[in-house]
Amino acid sequence: MSPLDFVFQYWPAIGAGILGALVPRGDASTKQRAGLGFITALTTLFVIWLWPTEGAAQAAKVPGEWPHLLNLLIALPLVGAAAVLFIPRQMLSLLRGFTYVVLGIGFVASLWLLTVPMTAGWHFQYIKDWMPTLGIRYHVAIDGISLWLVLLTTFVTPIAAYASFGSIKTRIKEFCFALLLLQGGMIGAFLALDLFLFYVFWELMLVPMFLMIGIWGGADRVKAAIKFFLYTMAGSVLMLAAIIYLVWTHQKLTGDFTFDYLALSRVVLPKSAQLLCFWAFSLAFFIKVPMWPVHTWLPDAHVQAPTGGSVILAAVMLKLGTYAYMRFSMGLFPGPASNLSANLAGVAILGGILYGALVAWKQRDVKRLVAYSSVAHLGFVMLGLFSATPMGMQGAVLQMVNHGVSTGALFLLVGVIYDRRHTREVDEFGGLAKVMPIYAVVFLIVTFASVGVPGTNGFVGEFLVIMGTFLSERLGKFAGIHTVGAAAGVILAAVYMLYVVQKMFFGPLTNPKNKHLPDLTVRESLALAPLVLMIFVIGFFPAIFLDRMKESILLHHNQYKVVSGQAILFADERDAKLLPEDTFSPAFLKGMPKKEQPEAPAAGGEGSQAALGGEGKVAQ
């Protein structure tokens, strides 16, 4: 390709990069201009690369699925964490640089996932026996549901690391170790399809976040860390008991032990046991989301955690609760999930969307306000899942990504003002737009995204969730009431977010401590720029994200609809049963243990397309 051809083909990215470099004020440094220009150009290239093309032309360019890609994404940060232990703690630049390199390689490698169209079924699947006697396997795979959550993890964690190294000055070696270990655990939990493996990664995440809060947190960090640990561990123990019972029941039915999610999906427990196991799994996930009334650990954890810890906690770790409910509670126990969906949707609205918004409105600590806003925003995610419509589920998955981007940016912005004033009290500020105009503009943009203004990422996700709720058959006669409650939550979000914007940035500049505050630094600008750009990328080009989850959402929805009906029909009070294999899509069962595995076409083949033939609309 000649230089002229390159310029002609990629002129939008080149133009966007030049524009990004010209945005800062005249006194901006070359480093800041170059960084913003580079980030803007890369974001534009991302949009160009993912822009929908003709199916045949796109299919011709699809490479093979490298079976070890997911292993690389999981192992790279875990091996990096182990390697950090051998670097002398005095070599601070090497520790930071090594962490950047490991996280950067992970992000670049994760982009390879986008080269394969996410047809129905599992992709990049890798299976290896781990403890054959117990039926435990190392089974990882990805689909259109987990795709964007893995990419969100590899995208946000380097940003959190970059922002953290500007404020954290002690125990850098331990922080790098915790950060890398945390990333490996989170990615592993999103990819695991063996329940034992999933539980290992689920618990592994707990340790580094506990250390982040307890070591680098605020004045009450130990109390917040212990509260976080106890809540999460309590739910995890219940889930472990349910996993063991489910595996034991499968062994009684088939004679084989297995922890494989695909095989265990066929098990229909007796009604009482089914309900107890559903609540054991779901309670662990509701704590992680968190949903009312098991949400009280979250505000303390967010307020006491360092900025980077808050960003990762909000952007990624909370999504593991919503993702796991969608994957495992709805997948393993579709009967109770279907029967209780209207009740749980009511809890999501009253205890999540409305309660979270009202409590956030009354907060005077801006970080605690953002923490309670997470309870409200994730109420929308859970509502989309409880609606059990393709549109609602698409909105829920997209809203997981949206919340990670917007709330991650809000926590970075709160960290910026805290580093300058060492207070987060709203009443301490006022008129900041006069001395920190760039900071004020960025904060306002992220606020618009958080409240769902059209053109930003939040609007698309909330619109799909509300429409999916209105069209839901599962919610029955309550669908209209739930829709009104969700819409009221959108209004309340605008009230509490615009209230804090008005109090902090407008009005007279009366506090003398605020009169000479510096605006965003180069480090802070570069950390925030990718998140701000993604707000508009998702807002203006949502099809890029929705298209890649569409078929997986349809498969999940139609299978949930069929299997929940079969599970209710097959269940009785005394005996467990095994659903026939033809109840499930062959694309879903691909990778099931060999003794049970049916002959299945490749992901996206005729069998999976037939399974997708059920009713349901998705966002185009």
Side-chain angles (χ1 to χ4, degrees), residues 357-366 369 425-427 429-430 443-444 447-448 451 491-506:
L358 291 171
V359 176
W361 189 8
K362 299 302 292 181
Q363 299 306 309
R364 293 298 174 262
D365 182 318
V366 65
L369 181 148
E425 293 296 319
V426 176
D427 294 334
F429 305 106
F443 199 105
L444 191 59
T447 296
F448 286 160
V451 303
I491 297 171
L492 286 175
V495 170
Y496 67 75
M497 286 304 301
L498 294 178
Y499 167 79
V500 77
V501 167
Q502 189 273 331
K503 290 283 289 184
M504 288 183 64
F505 296 102
F506 300 102

Side-chain angles (χ1 to χ4, degrees), residues 25 28 33 101 122 127 131 134 158 168 174 250 266 348 350 355 360 395 420 436 452 538 542 582 609 614:
R25 295 178 299 182
R33 291 184 181 279
V101 168
W122 308 109
I127 304 171
M131 292 179 254
L134 298 176
I168 292 179
E174 288 83 355
H250 181 274
R266 297 180 58 204
L350 294 176
Y355 168 81
R420 286 156 172 73
M436 304 176 69
I538 300 175
D582 59 9
Q609 293 301 319

Side-chain angles (χ1 to χ4, degrees), residues 231-252:
Y231 265 78
T232 308
M233 181 57 70
S236 299
V237 170
L238 293 174
M239 179 172 64
L240 178 61
I243 290 173
I244 293 172
Y245 179 78
L246 196 60
V247 171
W248 175 79
T249 303
H250 181 274
Q251 194 273 336
K252 292 296 182 183

Side-chain angles (χ1 to χ4, degrees), residues 7 25 59 235 322 342 381 389 412 497 499 535-536 610 613 618:
V7 171
R25 295 178 299 182
T322 55
V381 174
T389 58
L412 284 179
M497 286 304 301
Y499 167 79
I535 286 173
F536 293 112
V618 295

Side-chain angles (χ1 to χ4, degrees), residues 98-181:
F98 179 77
T99 303
Y100 288 146
V101 168
V102 172
L103 295 176
I105 293 174
F107 174 64
V108 173
S110 68
L111 295 178
W112 193 344
L113 298 170
L114 297 173
T115 62
V116 174
M118 283 292 144
T119 52
W122 308 109
H123 297 271
F124 296 96
Q125 189 166 228
Y126 183 85
I127 304 171
K128 189 75 173 178
D129 285 338
W130 185 6
M131 292 179 254
T133 305
L134 298 176
I136 298 173
R137 306 191 301 170
Y138 177 84
H139 184 184
V140 293
I142 198 168
D143 66 352
I145 296 172
S146 53
L147 168 68
W148 292 115
L149 299 175
V150 172
L151 286 166
L152 177 68
T153 306
T154 60
F155 173 68
V156 168
T157 308
I159 295 173
Y162 184 68
S164 297
F165 289 141
S167 57
I168 292 179
K169 306 297 182 184
T170 60
R171 300 192 177 187
I172 301 298
K173 179 176 180 176
E174 288 83 355
F175 186 80
C176 294
F177 171 79
L179 195 66
L180 293 171
L181 186 65

Side-chain angles (χ1 to χ4, degrees), residues 549-560:
M549 68 175 79
K550 179 173 62 178
E551 292 196 28
S552 295
I553 293 288
L554 275 176
L555 175 63
H556 184 78
H557 165 263
N558 290 324
Q559 187 162 287
Y560 173 74

